[in-house]
Amino acid sequence: MSRTDTTLSDLLREQVQAWVADDPDPRTRAELGELLDRAVAGSPDAVADIQDRFDGRLQFGTAGLRGALGAGPNRMNRAVVIRAAAGLTAYLQTDCSIPEPMVVVGFDARHDSDVFARDTAAVVVGAGGRVCVLPRPLPTPLLAFAIRHLGADAGVMVTASHNPAQDNGYKVYLGDGSQIVPPSDAQIAAHIDAVATVADVVLADDGWETLGDEVLDAYVGRVAALVPAGAPRDLSVVHTALHGVGDDTVRRTFLAAGFAEPIAVPSQAAPDPDFPTVSFPNPEEAGAIDAALAVAREVRPDLVIANDPDADRLAAAVLDDGDWRMLRGDEVGVLLGAHILSGGLPADAVVACSIVSSRQLAAMAAARGVRHEETLTGFKWISRVVGLVYGYEEALGYCVAPGIARDKDGVSAALVLAQVAAELKAQDRTLLDVLDDLAVEHGVYATDSFSVRVADLAQMAPVIERLSSQAPREVAGVAVARADDLAAGDGGLPATDGIRWLLDDASRIIVRPSGTEPKLKVYLEAIEPVHGPDDLVRARAAAAGRLAGVRAVMEQLTRVQ
């Protein structure tokens, strides 16, 4: 049945009725039952809604599950989560030969996160496994830490990270503390598909362990120890948790490391699943940290930091020419990278960043004789780089301590950035001064990005296909020197959806679909040599001009037709 049909087929009606009969949650049973009544009565909106909810199942992949809350197989709900937990447990028991797997479960403060965490625990225990549940809504990096700290076989974090309020998600880690990658995702998905009905899944009434604060205390202690004993700590910081779960953990970590308690943004400090002060709870989005900047203009701190709702990402803002501006993800990435590279590193140390991040980290590493690796997007790839001492991606994700959390970690990154800022303050310098130094040494690496939101995921593939098959000869007057079809594995990386164009002037363009939201993402970079400190203003202006020209062309080329 197409989405333009205005009546339900007998088959779809039977599917809805079967789902209602098997749904363990009285709320979603009632929601779907009411929707079915409206559809049968002739409501076109209700018919379209049901068609969307039953247009396949929410797909389990390397990002786990993520989608809108609601009844039906194409939504996040208890029935979908129970199936996912049963599939994960079966994978551990059969494919990994672990009869009694130990799983750590964490959850954020979104709607139903605690419910989904409890269901996961009930499924694993019901199948003969062991479960430790974190005591309350806590950051995702803490879950990544807890897996290795407790010697677990897997971990589940119930979170939709920075997605809109109507979403929730289910992120799966294996025992090495890293997110799943192929073929584990497909193997788990196959076990999920093998669950005939939710009624077949045994749910234990109890038997799991709810942890106290011992894991949180251990994590805070490990992160706080990243700051050397004699390092300067005189720094004033404004922090926003964006209505997420990061406020308490960030505050504890800063205090444990000897810094002053961060100044919280009152309207955004407490967890709130409705995210009332922001359109999107993502520090990357325009306006998301406006409340934090307003506080900064009042209290005049040295640094502003922001976490996304599950605190695995970090944004930062600095005073620039009399007002506050947010640093780009690549700027924070190279600042943290410069700090890591300046320390004593082992001979086999590796720094890494994703394919869409700035190439400046590679230049910095080469200058210091340290190996750099480029990976596919996502920390599931970055965290698996052998010898990793630091990794980042431009979407505000930073791993400054792989030995603590083998994932992006907005808490430890915040503390290390504060350490760098405090050391610079003691020298009467700033983070912007370091960015100037790096540009003079390596050249200006100017980056930009934009997103093209779509109403339907199916709208993205034709754009990528068109760009791949009809690559232009030039962009903004500069010849395209190389066109990589990333889906074909061009460029030496595993196949992934997207295209990459390299221009004659070393500019780079990447277009790829988002892995977590219905949007295309476009990443741009221009490189301009710098001939000494006096040439920096000119070089930045030249790079910015080239970026603007490329962006104007790409905004036209990526329009959804």
Side-chain angles (χ1 to χ4, degrees):
M1 173 177 288
S2 72
R3 295 192 177 200
T4 58
D5 291 335
T6 56
T7 59
L8 290 181
S9 67
D10 290 341
L11 177 60
L12 184 53
R13 187 183 305 188
E14 290 173 4
Q15 290 175 338
V16 173
Q17 291 169 335
W19 184 274
V20 171
D22 192 42
D23 191 341
D25 190 338
R27 298 172 304 162
T28 46
R29 283 201 306 269
E31 174 189 328
L32 198 52
E34 186 271 338
L35 193 60
L36 179 60
D37 288 343
R38 288 175 49 219
V40 170
S43 167
D45 290 343
V47 171
D49 195 352
I50 287 178
Q51 289 171 344
D52 186 57
R53 291 168 186 254
F54 283 78
D55 184 19
R57 290 183 179 178
L58 204 60
Q59 291 299 303
F60 185 91
T62 54
L65 295 168
R66 198 173 292 189
L69 290 161
N74 200 26
R75 295 288 187 272
M76 281 294 297
N77 51 64
R78 289 188 62 202
V80 166
V81 165
I82 289 170
R83 287 175 179 269
L88 171 62
T89 307
Y91 163 79
L92 294 171
Q93 292 176 323
T94 59
D95 297 48
C96 301
S97 302
I98 307 172
E100 299 178 359
M102 178 182 174
V103 180
V104 186
V105 180
F107 56 101
D108 66 9
R110 285 177 179 265
H111 292 294
D112 281 346
S113 285
D114 57 340
V115 176
F116 297 159
R118 187 186 188 283
D119 280 336
T120 300
V123 170
V124 177
V125 171
R130 297 176 296 143
V131 176
C132 293
V133 181
L134 296 183
R136 59 186 175 277
L138 287 165
T140 292
L142 182 63
L143 184 278
F145 166 79
I147 295 167
R148 287 192 291 169
H149 181 71
L150 297 174
D153 299 302
V156 170
M157 183 68 192
V158 182
T159 179
S161 189
H162 57 283
N163 275 39
Q166 66 266 24
D167 289 359
N168 212 329
Y170 198 82
K171 186 179 292 187
V172 175
Y173 297 75
L174 295 182
D176 63 355
S178 297
Q179 297 177 50
I180 56 171
V181 295
S184 297
D185 57 339
Q187 293 167 330
I188 296 170
H191 285 289
I192 294 172
D193 291 341
V195 178
T197 66
V198 175
D200 293 335
V201 180
V202 177
L203 298 177
D205 292 326
D206 54 33
W208 54 86
E209 177 186 359
T210 300
L211 299 168
D213 275 358
E214 60 274 10
V215 174
L216 174 60
D217 292 342
Y219 169 81
V220 167
R222 290 282 302 278
V223 174
L226 293 173
V227 182
R233 287 165 167 79
D234 177 21
L235 196 76
S236 172
V237 176
V238 165
H239 172 251
T240 176
L242 284 186
H243 302 294
V245 297
D247 181 77
D248 179 66
T249 304
V250 168
R251 178 176 54 80
R252 288 190 187 204
T253 303
F254 270 64
L255 289 173
F259 282 83
E261 181 174 346
I263 301 163
V265 176
S267 63
Q268 298 176 335
D272 188 328
D274 294 317
F275 307 108
T277 69
V278 292
S279 300
F280 289 93
N282 181 353
E284 287 184 289
E285 296 284 347
I289 67 167
D290 282 359
L293 299 185
V295 172
R297 292 181 183 106
E298 292 180 9
V299 304
R300 300 188 64 78
D302 300 304
L303 181 67
V304 175
I305 56 175
N307 292 120
D308 66 337
D310 68 329
D312 64 351
R313 300 181 187 225
L314 171 72
V318 295
L319 197 60
D320 184 10
D321 229 2
D323 201 3
W324 292 88
R325 78 163 176 94
M326 183 171 159
L327 295 173
R328 297 190 61 82
D330 283 313
E331 290 178 309
V332 175
V334 298
L335 286 167
L336 291 171
H339 172 73
I340 299 294
L341 287 167
S342 68
L345 296 177
D348 61 349
V350 181
V351 297
C353 59
S354 64
I355 183 177
V356 298
S357 301
S358 174
R359 291 165 286 177
Q360 186 170 10
L361 181 64
M364 292 161 51
R368 286 156 181 78
V370 176
R371 190 158 64 88
H372 171 272
E373 283 199 20
E374 182 181 69
T375 74
L376 295 180
T377 55
F379 263 83
K380 55 185 173 286
W381 302 109
I382 295 172
S383 67
R384 282 182 157 75
V385 170
V386 177
L388 184 72
V389 295
Y390 171 68
Y392 95 92
E393 60 182 0
E394 56 77 42
L396 309 184
Y398 314 96
C399 179
V400 298
I404 297 175
R406 198 168 289 175
D407 198 4
K408 56 183 176 291
D409 182 348
V411 179
S412 60
L415 183 65
V416 173
L417 187 66
Q419 175 195 343
V420 174
E423 290 173 348
L424 290 167
K425 181 182 178 182
Q427 303 166 25
D428 199 26
R429 303 184 77 230
T430 70
L431 295 173
L432 294 179
D433 291 329
V434 176
L435 289 175
D436 287 348
D437 293 345
L438 293 172
V440 170
E441 182 178 359
H442 305 289
V444 170
Y445 286 71
T447 59
D448 193 10
S449 64
F450 65 93
S451 297
V452 181
R453 291 193 174 271
V454 296
D456 191 319
L457 293 174
Q459 294 176 293
M460 293 192 289
V463 178
I464 297 292
E465 184 178 346
R466 184 177 73 247
L467 295 175
S468 177
S469 62
Q470 303 174 28
R473 293 184 178 181
E474 63 176 41
V475 175
V478 181
V480 175
R482 194 176 95 197
D484 292 337
D485 179 0
L486 299 178
D490 291 353
L493 289 170
T496 186
D497 288 340
I499 60 99
R500 174 173 58 185
W501 298 337
L502 299 176
L503 308 188
D504 265 352
D505 64 359
S507 297
R508 185 190 66 185
I509 301 164
I510 296 176
V511 184
R512 58 176 287 271
S514 169
T516 57
E517 296 180 81
K519 63 185 182 182
L520 281 169
K521 302 189 76 172
V522 183
Y523 308 86
L524 312 172
E525 183 175 40
I527 303 173
E528 180 71 21
V530 179
H531 307 291
D534 293 340
D535 189 43
L536 189 53
V537 172
R538 179 212 61 81
R540 283 192 167 133
R546 285 159 54 196
L547 269 186
V550 171
R551 175 166 179 156
V553 173
M554 294 310 299
E555 285 176 345
Q556 293 295 321
L557 292 179
T558 54
R559 282 186 173 178
V560 176
Q561 297 177 350

